[in-house]
Amino acid sequence: MTVSVTNKAPELCMPKVMGILNVTPDSFSDGGQFSNINNALAQVEKMIEDGALIIDIGGESTRPGAKDVSVTDELSRVIPLLKAIKSRFKVDISIDTSKAEVMAQAIEQGADIINDVRALQNKNCLKVLAQTNIPICLMHMQGLPRTMQAEPKYDDVISDIKSFFRQRIIACDSAGISKDRLILDPGFGFGKSLVQNFQLLANFSQFQSFGLPLLAGISRKSMIGKLLNTEVDQRLAGSLSAAIIAAQQGANIIRVHDVKETVDALRVLQAVNSNNF
Ligand code: 7PM
């Protein structure tokens, strides 16, 4: 798996679409693990057909207000699924986790990217990843999922997030994780007000200053729902618009639920930017 920054102008390369694999406890509460895995595999197959180049597997733990999940529960949710996908499909798998033990086992089972909403700040994460060579997405979050939306505060949301990235890049480097393995993500919806989320989107291109690949995850988030006053199943048009705005400002990976629609939208942008249709 490589996510590299080319010398092409960023808006000239088509971003990769990362499809979110839905593994909520609901999909685990009926029918036992076999049907759950089959259900997940069907979702993965569809996302690959629709043009996803990366599949992001994550549990429930990062939702605003969510309770912590135990290591055992997270491992039993993620590892069998990762094995099943890896044995059937040739697609890059990203594991959305903040736990060193889950990272280690996932990498052993062939995970291609670690996606950590806590940017490797939890115990042993830096150490585990220093012993490997796979790409890592460092996401910015203010506070913790349970309380992060209560009262997010910044001096300047862009500069504060940039200084967080600078610190985490240094922490990674000191631990033996080189900068060229890192992907940066400002973390839409993670400890940000509606206004701050839209400031981030409007200024997304500023994160290009690190010279690292950028990831944007806005799909169906409450910043779309609050703006449009729509429930989660009515946020597609808003999510596509946000994806295009991020892509036009240099996002290299777009993390989404609706893969086909996002790929179509990105192809329209790509046709215009590359003058090739
Ligand atoms: C409820 C609210 C459920 C929010 C799930 C979520 C990101 C991520 C998530 C992101 C990266 C979601 C989020 N969001 N990882 N994991 N970037 N790197 O919308 O924006 O799926 S969880």
Side-chain angles (χ1 to χ4, degrees), residues 175-197:
I177 299 169
S178 61
K179 189 177 168 188
D180 61 9
R181 292 175 58 189
L182 304 177
I183 300 164
L184 303 178
D185 175 352
F188 290 96
F190 286 85
K192 283 112 189 162
S193 68
L194 183 63
V195 168
Q196 289 156 356
N197 279 310

Side-chain angles (χ1 to χ4, degrees), residues 20 56 60 62-64 96 115-117 137 139 185 187-188 190 215-219 221 255 257:
I20 302 168
D56 190 44
E60 183 74 337
T62 55
R63 287 168 183 249
D96 192 339
N115 173 24
D116 185 4
V117 302
C137 178
M139 197 195 80
D185 175 352
F188 290 96
F190 286 85
L215 186 149
I218 311 171
S219 181
K221 283 193 175 166
R255 182 180 177 277
H257 301 86

